[in-house]
Amino acid sequence: MEKMEFKAESKRLLEMMINSIYTHKEVFLRELISNASDAIDKIYYKALTDESLSFDKDNYFIKIVHDKENRTLKITDTGIGMTKEELETNLGTIAKSGSLAFKKETELKDGFDIIGQFGVGFYAAFMVADTVTVVSKSLGSDIAYKWESTGADGYTIEAVDKAEVGTEITLKIKENTEDENYDDYLDEYRLKTIIKKYSDFIRYPIKMDVTKSKLKEGSESEYEQYTEEEIINSMVPIWRKNKNELTDADYENFYAEKRYGFDKPLKSIHITVDGTVRYNSILYIPENIPFDYYSREFEKGLELYSNGVLIMDKCADLLPDHFSFVKGMVDSEDLSLNISREMLQHDRQLKLIAKNIGKKIKSELQSLLKNDREKYEKFYNSFGRQLKYGVYADFGANKDALQDLLMFYSSKEKKLVTLEEYVSRMPEDQKYIYYAAGESVERIEKLPQTEFVSEKGFEILFFTEDIDEFAIKMLMNYKEKEFKSISSDDLGIEGEDNKSDSESEDQESKELFDYMKSALAGKVKDVRISKRLKSHPVCLATEGDISIEMEKILAAMPDNTQQVKADKILEINKNHEVYQSLKAAFESDKQKLELYTKLLYNQALLIEGLPIADPVEFTNDICKVMV
Ligand code: ADP
Ligand code: MG
């Protein structure tokens, strides 16, 4: 038996490896299984060119055996095995990848997907094991060799007997420590979970003896346990299958199996791309909002696989924020991974994939909107808000891409409509896209301002969500039609001029309104004759960028120190009897006029859903009018 030492650098490297490369210790199993799969692949590829070899798929498998008592975990494969030299160079030299060399040697490119490339994965075994023993018999050799190492000290190598070609790796699992429960890696259920998680789509069967129970013979209630060999992995990933062979149920099963959500997906999208970057992807639009979706805890992202091996649980870079509700996975063989295979080396390929995926989701949503309105509305009720955030975010960078996916409740249709639909039926004399913001449809319908625009026959979009007006301010216009709040001072509607009958009357009301304005002491920017009121006596309009709804939203924000306020205009209906009372009071009783002004202003606030500064004073004022 020869005793070899790792080179000094190797020692340091090994310690670094063991302690810092991987974030999760459980990936050691992914690495060993990937190596086993690579080893079987190598026989397969050899058989392609070597006629003396035949490859019968049934003879090739990977087996995992755990032994709690002896604290060992064994990973066996029927792959190509290693010669003594290969054991020394591939396992004795860190960062030496026999697989990478094999790839170069065989010059196989397309569809060639051996996983290994860095020559470090094997050492992940030392994260969980004190001793690692590798017994391997290489294809075409008579002698097998045993390689053994306890980590940084080096390794021993000796000839042993082994009947079959292939490799058997035995890990002596570490004792539990305070921070780490190594027993996990001897637990049947846990091992199955890890295999499923990372290695479900390894092409060869991964077998395990699984504990089962059955009724004892002759008994009706007593059970006995027995073990049975089971294949743990699904082997053929659904995303590599032909779309035509898959049913909705297959996609739904995959969604449930992967725990993307507890609901049924509203839509599944299967993408196969064979371009500059090759990838397969299955994406889902969920039906229900995840409970934490609109919270800080929610993490967006897609599962990322490299060649069927899970690399990342939630790769955030694959999804734009406005589509953060999408679930699913991407598998690509063209990713350049970093050494731990947990991260990507360059994100160029990833960016390309993300861009394609973003486009695809958009076009799928658009076709859903076109072809299955009911489903789209279901989707929109759950995630429309996110789309509107998307329009607003990043200074409107994505607004063009998203505007056609937006919907708002229409005063005319009494249901959600798109901007395209709105604009397509605008009468010629309508200059703007009108909207009204408020707490709810019912409340907006009762706003005095809606009456006039509605009676003109114009459609109004109802904005009932906080984000709506902000998103629209970012959009500015749609198909060159500007958005206009029905509360803004200039509605651009013909015949809105409630012009006074004479110049002297104009002068008169000007004096009245100036007085009222000063009575309100800076609370409003102006008091004016309303051009929009029909039956109501009073309303508030705004000038400038901040609307009343926006003022409310900003006031509700936790860090609203600046107290942003809308520039309000108190509008009085000249045709309402109240106007006559105001005029009379202006002539004869200024105190009364002040009282009326305050009352009207507070009423206007209430209509808008704004708080009044002093409710007690307000009720007292009403009483003053009553007595
Ligand atoms: P990588 O897989 O990135 O090449 P590893 O450290 O995981 O690096 O493995 C190093 C090398 O050891 C592999 O490239 C391969 O040549 C060899 N090897 C590891 N495990 C096996 C195995 N089960 N059967 C045959 N060869 C193996
Ligand atoms: Mg490897």
Side-chain angles (χ1 to χ4, degrees), residues 546-611:
I546 311 285
S547 74
I548 285 170
E549 275 319 294
M550 291 165 97
E551 175 183 320
K552 280 193 236 167
I553 292 156
L554 295 171
M557 289 195 175
D559 50 356
N560 174 41
T561 44
Q562 290 164 321
Q563 299 278 330
V564 187
K565 294 253 192 258
D567 285 334
K568 303 183 190 71
I569 292 156
L570 188 68
E571 291 195 354
I572 307 291
N573 184 352
K574 203 188 109 209
N575 302 318
H576 198 280
E577 287 154 332
V578 157
Y579 180 61
Q580 299 309 323
S581 309
L582 289 171
K583 275 212 303 200
F586 182 60
E587 299 296 324
S588 59
D589 189 346
K590 291 281 190 324
Q591 228 179 327
K592 206 179 210 173
L593 178 61
E594 275 169 37
L595 175 67
Y596 287 177
T597 306
K598 260 199 304 182
L599 272 171
L600 284 171
Y601 172 69
N602 282 331
Q603 285 172 24
L605 288 180
L606 284 175
I607 291 170
E608 293 292 340
L610 285 169

Side-chain angles (χ1 to χ4, degrees), residues 110-145:
D110 266 6
F112 185 77
D113 45 11
I114 278 184
I115 303 157
Q117 65 184 104
F118 296 115
V120 294
F122 171 77
Y123 297 94
F126 289 106
M127 291 195 293
V128 300
D130 292 323
T131 309
V132 177
T133 311
V134 180
V135 174
S136 193
K137 186 170 172 185
S138 174
L139 180 70
S141 118
D142 304 325
I143 322 171
Y145 287 91

Side-chain angles (χ1 to χ4, degrees), residues 31 35 38 116 121-122 341:
E31 294 300 329
N35 285 349
D38 282 352
F122 171 77
R341 306 211 277 131

Side-chain angles (χ1 to χ4, degrees), residues 176-182:
N176 289 343
T177 63
E178 241 169 67
D179 322 316
E180 190 71 29
N181 188 35
Y182 291 102

